[in-house]
Amino acid sequence: MPYPSPPRSPSGPRRRTLLASAAGAALLVGCSSGPENSEDSTGTASGTPSLTERTRARAARDSEGLIERYDAVLAAHPGLAELVGPLRAEAVRHAEAFGGGRRASAGASPSGSPSVPGSPSPSGSPSAAVPPNEKEALTELAAAERALADQRATALLDVPGELARLLASVAAAGAAHAFLLTEGAK
């Protein structure tokens, strides 16, 4: 009697994989912080920003750039507001957690969603062109989220304690956003 073939699993990462990656990153962070990083975290005698300050500023700028991409997609495809709006609101909170986001959150209502669905960011027109197809726009947003999550996961290895934990958390959230956007594009 032949055995039935196993069910085909969906493409892309599973929820367990995303959670395991986040947990692994958190464990890695706990092992990587220590006194050897204290020199970089306090800055140098010449007054240049420390590695921690530079990393935090870059993470804030990266989140603000991602917010602009979300705003561009919302402006081009207002029908995606239900899916994209909450993810944009999370990106605003990430920028604020890194010390940025003042400019990006100016276009948001108290609930965290854009005040006018599809309104462009206060900084002007976004730099990236948005594909005319909604699925392609979501795919590009997912790729941007994924790339930024990977960049942050790499950067957390070079910074101490709290910032490394914040980078790990935001990288995990970015990976989850990429997954949700990918699923939304199907």
Side-chain angles (χ1 to χ4, degrees):
M1 175 153 103
Y3 290 103
S5 61
R8 187 170 184 267
S9 47
S11 63
R14 290 184 169 180
R15 202 173 323 173
R16 277 188 227 152
T17 305
L18 290 173
L19 293 173
S21 297
L27 287 174
L28 184 61
V29 169
C31 297
S32 67
S33 63
E36 68 275 3
N37 290 333
S38 62
E39 181 180 304
D40 284 335
S41 66
T42 58
T44 61
S46 65
T48 60
S50 69
L51 174 63
T52 300
E53 292 167 343
R54 290 190 312 267
T55 302
R56 185 178 292 276
R58 177 171 183 168
R61 283 191 310 273
D62 290 343
S63 289
E64 290 169 351
L66 191 59
I67 293 163
E68 289 180 6
R69 292 184 82 135
Y70 275 112
D71 287 342
V73 169
L74 284 169
H77 305 289
L80 294 175
E82 187 175 327
L83 171 65
V84 174
L87 301 178
R88 180 202 181 275
E90 285 295 314
V92 168
R93 285 191 277 281
H94 296 162
E96 290 169 349
F98 289 118
R102 304 325 176 241
R103 179 182 70 181
S105 63
S109 68
S111 67
S113 59
S115 53
V116 177
S119 64
S121 66
S123 62
S125 63
S127 58
V130 177
N133 180 325
E134 286 184 355
K135 288 183 178 187
E136 289 175 15
L138 289 174
T139 300
E140 283 189 9
L141 265 179
E145 281 275 16
R146 194 173 299 109
L148 189 52
D150 291 346
Q151 177 185 323
R152 287 176 170 160
T154 301
L156 70 84
L157 299 173
D158 298 327
V159 294
E162 284 302 312
L163 181 56
R165 284 185 276 283
L166 179 59
L167 283 168
S169 175
V170 174
H177 291 180
F179 176 76
L180 292 171
L181 289 165
T182 301
E183 289 297 307
K186 289 184 178 179

